[in-house]
Every structure is written in structure tokens, then in C-alpha cells.
Amino acid sequence: MRANDGVVADADAANELAVVDAASERKSWAHAAKTWARAAQLCVVFSPLALLAPILLRDGWTWGNELWYGLLRRILEASGPAFIKWGQWASTRYDVFPAALCRELERLQAGAPEHSWKETKAILERSYGVGADGKLNKFEEIFEWFDEKVLASGSVAQIHRARLKPGRLVNGRIRRGGQKREVAVKVRHPGVVDALTRDFEILVWMAGLSKSIKWLEPLQLENTIQQFGVHMLQQVDFRHEADNLDKFRKSFLLMPAISFPTPIPGLATEEILVETYEEGVSIASYLLSPEADKEMLGSEQNKTLAGLGVKTLFKMLIDDNFLHADLHPGNILVRLPNGSTSTLSDASPEIIILDTGLATRLTPFHQASLAKMFHAIVTWDGSTVADSILSFADNVKANVDYTDFRADIAKAVDQFSSTTPRAGECMGAIFETVQKYHLCLDPNVMIAVVTVMVLEGWQWRLDPTVNILDYLDDVLKASARKYARLAIADYALRDMWSPFSEPNAFSATAADPMAALKAQGDDYVGAAVYGM
């Protein structure tokens, strides 16, 4: 190569870098301009809330508080997906926000305008690429039929119904009448990730400003919004939801009355989720009126559905430590044998659980502490409930005396000891006290607790004679015995093998688990259950 060729090449490379830098700078300026324009828009939208707060948010003025909470919900609904998602997440934070506000935020509707078929097709083409012949789009080789009409639309994605081409396996799942090839295709709205990211930046900025507003200090907005950010972006990558679906489906294989859609192998991308299309009616069709007599008996189907809900919750929370974090009635379908959808049928129902985008696990310490707290609630041990809550809090201070907090929690628990309360009532009273002391608990723990409250709410309306608290202690004891037996078997196997292996923690000098079990007694073997 001649010297001047090298000079020309270097000049070309420099020009390319200059073009890239200029494009990057334009993009940065465009992003900043959009962010500031969006911030100005949101300041206008949220200004009525700021102006009305000193007037309506007065202690003891229930009507004014409820009016402000309702206005907040409507503004969040109008402000886009990030604010809707934050409101839905905030509805689980009974430890931070007033219970009335949490109940209002539970009513948030995550509806959104549909995007066009042209945009959906472009996403399919981009995600699946060109087919084997080099001409036909690959998605047309995958789907025999694709309904351009939108089945449902939410704040993050919309759903289409489609049919896989013959020969495409659906994870080996066979239905009556042949292989089920009907699928639901979840397609992310174009630009939603950029919108979520931009709005989250603004949310963080607004939360920082809230520290200077005295009446907003107890809400700890900065802390809770940072926690929310961890969960928000999990829900927009559909590969994550496909993994969750697969884990739940495998976990419940031995419980055929509880099922999940099956993700289609190899078809999940960041923007698309393909899963089996599940027929059914919303479990809301079976719920009794909230005004119904508490002694009113539901149908046998209602009793079965209530029992399935309790079993599902405890299996996720205690056995699997993998919890669906959005178990509201809209995400639960009921299917009867032979495709019947009548709520009057006597057939045994099956429940199908949808939308697994948000699921959570607890650390072993938090799982053990939560089990301990639940056991303390059913035995009316307020002191242990208070200690468990303090172990969940992120903002406990070493130099603060929590004697008054423990006394108030004990009082809140004790008031139910002579009655037969619902779990939601008891936990509501406990978390009113937590909110009073401005404690901020681990978000995963709060998701688990609120899932219990949400499930108990619709389970109560299925069959008012079923009380989760009646089941809870028995489930904890049975689980403790099961895990204790596993611990003993594990110790025995390791001890049997130890003469033929290197010295290890289960050698003759190790602690005897039988002694630990005897010391704990038969009622609750917390150490054996969770490996403390």
C-alpha cells in the first residue's frame, strides 16, 4: 500500500468517527430536549395534586383524603406506562402509604392505545428475520394464521391471537382433540422502553424534590421509586416472562388443576412472547358480591376455587419460594372440563394463571422470618411479629428505641385474639402501625405479604367460610415436618458417606440435627425448615 493510501484511509476513518460523534451528540441533545419537554408536561399535569394536597390531605378528613387519592389515580392513568406501573407497584406498599391510598391504586387500569398492524408486522420481521428461502419473512413460516385484530392492549404490550403452522411442537403439550396449536402473541408497544426510561428519570427527579416538601416526607418517595426501578424493567423483556412461565409450569406439573400458558420454545424475544392460547372465563365471574352475607355459602365450584387459590399461594410462597407477584382476579381464568364456561356447572374447575412478568423470590433469611411472622400472627404473638417486621426494614436505626413500636404492634395483633379475623384485616392493622413509624420494608417481602392480602380478598368473595388463617398454621407445621425429615435424611446420607470422603461439615464433629429438632419441639421447626 502506498503512503498516500494510508493517509486517505486515516482521513476516512476520522470522518466516520466525526459522523458517529455528531450523530451521538444530536441523539443526546434530542433525548435531553424530549426529557425536558416531558418534565414540563408532567409538572402541568401533576400541579393540581400539589395545589390541593394542603387542603385535602388533612388528618381525620376522610372525604378529602379519598378525593385526593382518586385524583392521583386518574392522573397516573393519564401519564403513561411508567406512572401506571409505579402506581400498581405502590399499591403493594402498605408499609409506606396509607391503606386507603393503596386500595385506590389497586384500581389503576393499565389500558393503552393499540399500535397498528404495520408496526406489529415490523416488530415480527425484525425479531424473527428472513426465512430459509431468503425472501419470505420467517414469521410467515412460523405462523399459519395471524389475527391482525388486537385481542387486548395494556400499558406495555398488546396481544394477538395466532395459529402455528402444522408440525410446530407446543412443548409436547397435547390437548383433547389433538395438538393445541392456537397461541397468544404478546407484542411490545414500539418506543415503550424509551418512554419508560425517560419517565423513570423524571420520577427520580420529582422524588428528589419531594424531600423538600414537609407533608411528603413520610411517603419516602425517593427510596420507594428507586426500589420500583429494579422491578420495572424486568417486565419489558419478554424473555424474562417466558422463563418465569416455564418455571411455574414445571413447578405445578403434579397439580393438574392449576396450570399456566406454555411458552413456545425458541420464539421468545425481548419484544415478543408466544404462548399457548388458553380458553376460560375470568374468576371474577364467580365472585360473590362484597355486600353478600358473610355466612352465605358459595357453590361447590366456589369452594373448590377458593381451596385451589390457597394451595397455589402456599406452594409458591412456602414450598417453591417463587411467587407470582400479581395474583389479582384479572390474571386468573377458570376452565371447566370439556370446554364448558358456565359458572352453574357442577364440573370440577381448573384455574389458569396468566401474566408472569413480575415474580419474586425471598432470601432464605427473609423467607424464614416471614414464616416466623405468619406463625406469630396466628398465635397472636405481637412481640415476635414486631421483631420480624424490624428484620425486614431497610431504615432501622441502631440508636433508635423501638419499644413503642413493639407495644403498638402487640396492641394491633392482640385486638384480634378473641375474634376470627380475616388475614387482610389483621395485616392491614399491622401495616397501619408500620406506616405510622415510617419504616420502609424490603420490597420483595411486601410483595409476598400483599399477595397474601390480595388472594385472600378474592378468595373470601368466592367462599366466605374459608379463612386463610385457619390453613396457615397447619401448612407451616406440615412444611416444617417435611423439611425436617429431609434435613435428617440429608444428614444421614452425608454421615454414611463421610468415612469414604474427605472431612466435611457433616463429620463426627458436626452438630447433630436431631438434637436441634428436639430442642425446637414439634410445633414449629423453623431452623430445620429454612436451613438457619
Side-chain angles (χ1 to χ4, degrees):
M1 184 178 67
R2 291 174 299 179
N4 59 336
D5 289 340
V7 172
V8 171
D10 289 343
D12 289 342
N15 288 335
E16 288 177 6
L17 286 173
V19 170
V20 170
D21 289 343
S24 177
E25 186 176 353
R26 284 196 299 273
K27 186 176 180 181
S28 175
W29 276 104
H31 176 78
K34 289 179 181 178
T35 301
W36 280 106
R38 176 65 168 159
Q41 177 194 17
L42 291 172
C43 285
V44 173
V45 171
F46 280 87
S47 59
L49 283 173
L51 294 173
L52 291 173
I55 302 171
L56 298 178
L57 292 180
R58 296 180 180 178
D59 291 339
W61 195 10
T62 304
W63 179 86
N65 291 352
E66 290 179 352
L67 182 63
W68 193 88
Y69 298 156
L71 179 61
L72 172 62
R73 174 178 61 82
R74 289 176 175 83
I75 288 176
L76 290 174
E77 284 177 342
S79 297
F83 292 87
I84 292 171
K85 289 293 182 186
W86 178 80
Q88 291 172 332
W89 182 84
S91 71
T92 69
R93 300 310 303 264
Y94 281 76
D95 57 325
V96 176
F97 304 112
L101 174 57
C102 293
R103 289 192 292 268
E104 182 66 35
L105 294 179
E106 287 171 3
R107 299 173 57 197
L108 275 166
Q109 300 297 313
E114 303 168 1
H115 64 257
S116 68
W117 163 246
K118 181 179 179 181
E119 290 172 306
T120 294
K121 186 178 179 182
I123 292 170
L124 289 166
E125 291 173 349
R126 181 170 65 248
S127 297
Y128 295 133
V130 178
D133 61 0
K135 297 179 181 179
L136 189 68
N137 289 314
K138 193 171 181 179
F139 86 88
E140 293 174 337
E141 296 178 351
I142 296 170
F143 299 104
E144 179 180 77
W145 165 78
F146 201 105
D147 191 356
E148 297 182 11
K149 184 180 178 181
V150 177
L151 195 63
S153 181
S155 60
V156 170
Q158 63 189 36
I159 299 175
H160 294 261
R161 193 169 179 176
R163 185 183 301 118
L164 294 176
K165 281 194 173 181
R168 182 95 196 175
L169 291 178
V170 184
N171 214 17
R173 185 167 179 166
I174 306 298
R175 290 278 181 184
R176 296 181 183 89
Q179 182 177 314
K180 182 181 177 71
R181 293 184 291 115
E182 295 288 322
V183 292
V185 183
K186 193 172 184 179
V187 183
R188 195 171 72 190
H189 293 309
V192 74
V193 174
D194 288 341
L196 282 169
T197 304
R198 184 182 303 116
D199 283 357
F200 179 68
E201 291 175 9
I202 297 169
L203 265 172
V204 172
W205 173 72
M206 293 171 68
L209 290 180
S210 70
K211 292 191 296 184
S212 60
I213 303 174
K214 187 175 181 180
W215 58 270
L216 283 177
E217 285 180 7
L219 299 183
Q220 306 177 68
L221 290 176
E222 188 172 35
N223 189 18
T224 55
I225 285 174
Q226 291 289 354
Q227 292 176 347
F228 159 70
V230 176
H231 296 270
M232 181 185 70
L233 293 179
Q234 288 181 2
Q235 300 177 66
V236 297
D237 186 340
F238 294 153
R239 293 169 297 188
H240 178 78
E241 182 171 350
D243 288 343
N244 288 347
L245 267 178
D246 200 46
K247 289 173 186 173
F248 280 122
R249 184 186 63 82
K250 290 176 180 176
S251 177
F252 282 84
L253 283 176
L254 298 181
M255 297 179 69
I258 301 163
S259 63
F260 294 78
T262 303
I264 309 305
L267 295 187
T269 71
E270 186 178 342
E271 297 178 279
I272 297 174
L273 173 66
V274 184
E275 61 188 19
T276 52
Y277 180 81
E278 304 293 342
E279 297 277 3
V281 297
S282 171
I283 201 169
S285 305
Y286 292 78
L287 301 183
L288 302 174
S289 166
E291 292 77 28
D293 186 345
K294 290 185 179 181
E295 300 303 321
M296 175 181 174
L297 296 178
S299 66
E300 285 302 314
Q301 275 188 353
N302 278 33
K303 290 179 180 295
T304 302
L305 290 172
L308 287 175
V310 173
K311 290 177 183 177
T312 300
L313 173 67
F314 289 145
K315 176 170 171 54
M316 289 180 180
L317 187 60
I318 296 174
D319 288 346
D320 300 337
N321 188 21
F322 189 57
L323 181 66
H324 189 301
D326 200 14
L327 283 176
H328 63 76
N331 282 337
I332 301 174
L333 299 180
V334 177
R335 179 165 54 214
L336 302 178
N338 302 318
S340 172
T341 57
S342 171
T343 60
L344 302 176
S345 170
D346 291 330
S348 297
E350 170 190 358
I351 64 173
I352 304 104
I353 301 176
L354 311 174
D355 197 2
T356 61
L358 186 57
T360 191
R361 293 184 189 273
L362 300 175
T363 66
F365 172 77
H366 281 159
Q367 192 187 23
S369 297
L370 191 62
K372 187 177 180 181
M373 186 184 83
F374 285 149
H375 179 74
I377 289 174
V378 297
T379 56
W380 314 117
D381 181 358
S383 177
T384 300
V385 171
D387 288 340
S388 298
I389 290 172
L390 289 173
S391 74
F392 300 140
D394 296 330
N395 57 345
V396 169
K397 298 176 182 176
N399 59 342
V400 174
D401 185 358
Y402 288 96
T403 301
D404 290 343
F405 170 76
R406 290 185 172 90
D408 286 350
I409 289 291
K411 184 178 178 181
V413 172
D414 189 60
Q415 66 178 307
F416 296 104
S417 60
S418 59
T419 63
T420 54
R422 292 169 52 190
E425 293 172 341
C426 189
M427 290 182 187
I430 290 170
F431 286 103
E432 280 183 13
T433 305
V434 173
Q435 201 264 334
K436 171 184 169 184
Y437 283 86
H438 304 155
L439 293 174
C440 185
L441 307 191
D442 180 89
N444 290 324
V445 171
M446 284 308 303
I447 286 173
V449 170
V450 174
T451 298
V452 173
M453 296 170 70
V454 169
L455 186 138
E456 194 250 7
W458 61 257
Q459 166 269 320
W460 174 263
R461 290 179 59 194
L462 281 171
D463 184 4
T465 64
V466 175
N467 191 335
I468 283 182
L469 290 179
D470 294 337
Y471 288 85
L472 187 55
D473 200 33
D474 289 338
V475 169
L476 289 172
K477 288 177 181 177
S479 183
R481 287 192 292 269
K482 179 178 74 174
Y483 281 92
R485 288 193 294 269
L486 290 173
I488 294 168
D490 180 68
Y491 171 81
L493 289 171
R494 289 175 183 259
D495 190 57
M496 178 179 67
W497 181 251
S498 63
F500 309 101
S501 63
E502 294 295 325
N504 54 63
F506 289 89
S507 63
T509 59
D512 183 355
M514 289 298 295
L517 292 176
K518 291 174 183 176
Q520 289 288 330
D522 295 329
D523 287 340
Y524 180 67
V525 193
V529 176
Y530 298 110
M532 292 175 62

